[in-house]
């Protein structure tokens, strides 16, 4: 959350990926929001324009997502606040919204702009990384919220 440390870390980089998440999802926090603000300020100082961030599929509409959003309301508030900062940043952003993350060993994924892929209930962390790198390398999903799943 320290803009100057992020500035130093981002030297000579073309893009920033953020996969931050809370250690304690039930406690109130502004870590995602505050980290996004610091990262965007550092990026603007450096002229880095590409940002891909991790959020949560629970922000998409639907009864199961409403239940998850209620149970994890503190985390959901923070991640929505982070998304708002990112959307208003003026950068070439992509927000990735996966479902429950697993430790499985695969990198394939399905993606859908503006919605969660049908029947996508889990996704390997490695597949999230693959999506984020693909979005940067393929110059895809600018200014889009993308649902990703197995």
């Amino acid at each position: 959350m320290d803009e100057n440390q992020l500035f130093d870390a981002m030297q000579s980089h073309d893009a920033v990926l953020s996969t931050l998440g809370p250690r304690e999802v039930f406690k109130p926090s502004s870590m995602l929001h505050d980290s996004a603000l610091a990262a965007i300020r550092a990026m603007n100082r450096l002229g880095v324009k590409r940002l891909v961030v991790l959020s949560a599929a629970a922000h998409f509409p639907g009864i199961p997502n409403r239940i998850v959003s209620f149970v994890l309301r503190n985390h959901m508030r923070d991640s929505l606040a982070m998304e708002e900062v990112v959307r208003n940043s003026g950068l070439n952003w992509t927000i990735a919204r996966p479902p429950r993350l697993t430790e499985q060993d695969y990198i394939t994924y399905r993606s859908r702009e503006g919605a969660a892929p049908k029947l996508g209930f889990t996704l390997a962390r490695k597949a999230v990384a693959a999506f984020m790198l693909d979005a940067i390398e393929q110059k895809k999903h600018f200014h889009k919220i993308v649902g990703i799943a197995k």
Side-chain angles (χ1 to χ4, degrees):
M1 292 183 278
D2 184 305
E3 177 185 339
N4 291 321
Q5 286 182 338
L6 291 169
F7 178 85
D8 292 341
M10 292 177 193
Q11 296 288 326
S12 303
H13 290 281
D14 298 320
V16 172
L17 290 93
S18 175
T19 60
L20 296 175
R23 290 180 192 220
E24 298 182 40
V25 294
F26 299 110
K27 288 189 174 181
S29 172
S30 62
M31 187 230 358
L32 297 176
H33 170 268
D34 298 346
S35 295
L37 281 175
I40 290 164
R41 287 182 187 131
M43 291 174 72
N44 284 329
R45 285 171 52 195
L46 288 163
V48 177
K49 296 293 182 196
R50 186 67 170 117
L51 175 63
V52 181
V53 298
L54 181 68
S55 189
H59 292 308
F60 289 123
I63 299 294
N65 288 343
R66 279 193 223 143
I67 294 167
V68 171
S69 290
F70 176 75
V71 172
L72 300 177
R73 61 190 164 274
N74 290 314
H75 172 57
M76 294 294 104
R77 277 189 211 116
D78 190 24
S79 61
L80 274 179
M82 176 270 299
E83 285 192 11
E84 183 177 355
V85 168
V86 169
R87 286 192 321 270
N88 293 324
S89 68
L91 300 173
N92 291 326
W93 55 266
T94 301
I95 297 171
R97 287 184 176 174
R100 186 176 61 82
L101 300 178
T102 70
E103 297 298 328
Q104 292 177 295
D105 192 22
Y106 63 87
I107 61 170
T108 57
Y109 60 85
R110 294 178 297 132
S111 65
R112 185 173 172 201
E113 289 185 353
K118 300 270 189 229
L119 301 175
F121 303 110
T122 62
L123 188 63
R125 284 177 170 82
K126 288 182 178 182
V128 172
F131 168 80
M132 294 176 96
L133 291 171
D134 288 347
I136 289 170
E137 291 175 357
Q138 298 169 13
K139 297 180 170 62
K140 291 173 66 173
H141 309 298
F142 286 168
H143 304 120
K144 300 291 181 183
I145 295 174
V146 183
I148 54 176
K150 182 174 182 180

